Amino acid sequence: MIVAFPHMGNMYIILQTLFNELGQTVCVPPPISKRTLELGAIHSPETVCLPFKIMLGNFIEALEQGADTLVSCGGVGPCRLGYYAEVQKEILERLGYRFEMIVIEPHLGDVVHNIRRLSTGKSWLQVYRAFQFARGKMELLDDLERKVAWLRPRECHRGTVDAIKKEGLVRIAAAKQENDLTQIWQDIAASLNSIKINQEIRPLQIGIVGEIYVMLEPFINQDLERQLGTLGAEVHKTMYFSDYVRGHLSYSREYRKRYRMLDQLAKPYLGHYVGGHGLKSIAYTLQKAQQGFDGMIQVYPFTCMPEVVAKNILHQVSKDVDLPVLTLAYDEQSGDAGVITRLEAFIDLLQYRRNKQTQVIG
């Protein structure tokens, strides 16, 4: 069995570790590229959203490299994610590929069943340790993202943070056992803490809401987080891969408590579940307004139904709480120049508002 899966940010590091520890040979698809997008777009229905096309391109490139087992996720609710795997399977079979598709639905019983299929010969203790190791890497990756987002707008020498981050990703990916992770994080943290920063800077605070795939995959969002950091903004993503795991796979008590809180926040504007992360986009925007953020950016793939619903509501939310919201919808035609121009204009607007508020207070 040679296992492959689609890319979504740094998820490949976590899944490669998990499946290797479960005893499987892993074929990580090549990094997402223009070819990946072209392969997926050519063979996908025209109106399907961008993540579908990218994931299909990932699968094609993995199968070309010898993968024979594709692992994907299912979904529930109005979001079309629940149909991805079945439609992609049919497309790939029509193209002549021979493989097994394993779809992990967001239910504990289904997760356990499929993990057992992928861990032949492993005891439950070994499976548990595999998950713990993968989880350890997941937590480190999220911590690294948060630390980098804080440092990037404050560093005195541009690019230092990103260089350390790149090296850190390599070290986390290469770790062979859980005991190594503590030392690796200490080394990464020491390097980050040694970066010279401008103590006088008070960066703009910008929150990111929207669809999780676009939020986490820099190829799709055109490296949004780094672009904003370079423009002097501290970026706060409202979802990380660990949030997806806790919410859709483990559905922990902490997550349930947080979701109830978000549901109550959004209720005056959106009183029912619309699929995907639409409700969270509303709730997190309201929450960040309460926390004094300067602005919000909503990102989503063009035609994403839950986020289109949220977009129409966010216009009113923005007015009510006096918090600017920029919406960015992505498809295969999106270009870097247009996005950068909009980001620069948004940053200028937020800086003008902050300066004006400072003058009024003064």
Side-chain angles (χ1 to χ4, degrees):
M1 185 181 290
I2 303 176
V3 177
F5 39 79
H7 279 289
M8 185 175 76
N10 296 321
M11 180 179 73
Y12 73 95
I13 295 175
I14 303 161
L15 294 186
Q16 182 178 28
T17 298
L18 176 62
F19 293 133
N20 277 337
E21 292 297 306
L22 292 177
Q24 301 301 332
T25 301
V26 176
C27 174
V28 178
I32 300 174
S33 63
K34 185 178 179 181
R35 179 177 185 267
T36 310
L37 178 54
E38 289 174 348
L39 281 171
I42 288 171
H43 300 294
S44 298
E46 183 178 355
T47 57
V48 78
C49 55
L50 190 57
F52 180 101
K53 297 173 183 177
I54 294 291
M55 290 169 65
L56 182 63
N58 288 155
F59 285 148
I60 291 174
E61 291 183 316
L63 290 167
E64 288 175 347
Q65 293 190 347
D68 57 26
T69 304
L70 304 180
V71 178
S72 190
C73 62
V76 295
C79 176
R80 289 174 289 183
L81 174 63
Y83 299 101
Y84 276 19
E86 291 304 317
V87 177
Q88 288 166 342
K89 181 174 183 290
E90 184 176 332
I91 291 171
L92 292 170
E93 287 176 342
R94 284 208 313 260
L95 292 174
Y97 294 107
R98 295 292 175 262
F99 59 94
E100 180 182 8
M101 176 78 84
I102 296 178
V103 184
I104 301 178
E105 298 291 346
H107 306 291
L108 183 58
D110 193 76
V111 173
V112 172
H113 170 71
N114 281 300
I115 291 303
R116 175 48 69 192
R117 292 173 63 189
L118 290 163
S119 58
T120 306
K122 297 289 182 178
S123 68
W124 281 113
L125 178 59
Q126 290 173 311
V127 171
Y128 172 77
R129 287 175 175 167
F131 270 91
Q132 285 295 98
F133 188 20
R135 179 187 174 186
K137 288 193 177 187
M138 177 179 71
E139 300 292 350
L140 248 62
L141 290 167
D142 286 356
D143 288 344
L144 177 59
E145 293 282 349
R146 293 186 183 97
K147 183 73 171 175
V148 165
W150 189 90
L151 283 168
R152 194 179 275 125
R154 295 174 170 87
E155 65 179 341
C156 293
H157 304 289
R158 293 293 182 199
T160 307
V161 169
D162 288 315
I164 294 174
K165 176 188 175 183
K166 184 177 181 180
E167 181 183 346
L169 292 176
V170 172
R171 290 198 61 187
I172 294 171
K176 297 301 182 184
Q177 55 186 3
E178 190 175 0
N179 292 339
D180 296 335
L181 298 181
T182 300
Q183 184 61 54
I184 288 172
W185 177 246
Q186 288 175 352
D187 294 343
I188 295 171
S191 296
L192 292 173
N193 291 335
S194 70
I195 293 174
K196 186 179 180 180
I197 63 173
N198 187 335
Q199 300 284 359
E200 297 179 0
I201 288 180
R202 190 166 70 92
L204 293 167
Q205 302 291 306
I206 296 180
I208 308 293
V209 296
E211 193 270 336
I212 190 170
Y213 186 93
V214 175
M215 192 184 303
L216 298 186
E217 178 47 59
F219 180 88
I220 301 301
N221 63 40
Q222 291 154 353
D223 220 350
L224 177 65
E225 190 173 355
R226 187 183 63 80
Q227 296 283 5
L228 288 169
T230 302
L231 290 170
E234 181 181 335
V235 179
H236 295 256
K237 290 185 294 193
T238 54
M239 283 186 292
Y240 289 84
F241 186 67
S242 55
D243 296 303
Y244 180 86
V245 170
R246 294 189 186 101
H248 295 269
L249 297 181
S250 66
Y251 204 56
S252 66
R253 179 182 300 178
E254 175 190 351
Y255 178 85
R256 293 197 299 271
K257 182 179 178 181
R258 187 196 306 177
Y259 186 83
R260 286 194 295 270
M261 180 271 292
L262 294 173
D263 183 55
Q264 288 302 311
L265 265 179
K267 190 155 289 185
Y269 295 92
L270 183 60
H272 62 279
Y273 179 65
V274 294
H277 309 287
L279 185 145
K280 292 179 184 177
S281 293
I282 305 298
Y284 277 124
T285 299
L286 290 162
Q287 182 190 67
K288 298 306 179 186
Q290 295 172 356
Q291 295 171 353
F293 272 55
D294 295 287
M296 299 293 293
I297 298 179
Q298 180 200 21
V299 296
Y300 66 92
F302 185 66
T303 76
C304 174
M305 295 180 290
E307 292 302 327
V308 168
V309 172
K311 174 193 172 185
N312 292 322
I313 298 171
L314 281 173
H315 180 70
Q316 186 61 47
V317 171
S318 175
K319 281 185 176 181
D320 291 348
V321 299
D322 191 28
L323 181 67
V325 177
L326 172 66
T327 295
L328 298 174
Y330 294 86
D331 64 12
E332 58 265 38
Q333 305 302 326
S334 298
D336 291 353
V339 171
I340 292 172
T341 300
R342 294 186 67 189
L343 292 178
E344 290 173 342
F346 190 59
I347 292 292
D348 288 344
L349 167 66
L350 299 184
Q351 194 62 60
Y352 171 78
R353 280 169 53 91
R354 178 185 278 188
N355 293 340
K356 189 174 180 180
Q357 289 167 357
T358 302
Q359 291 171 3
V360 171
I361 294 172

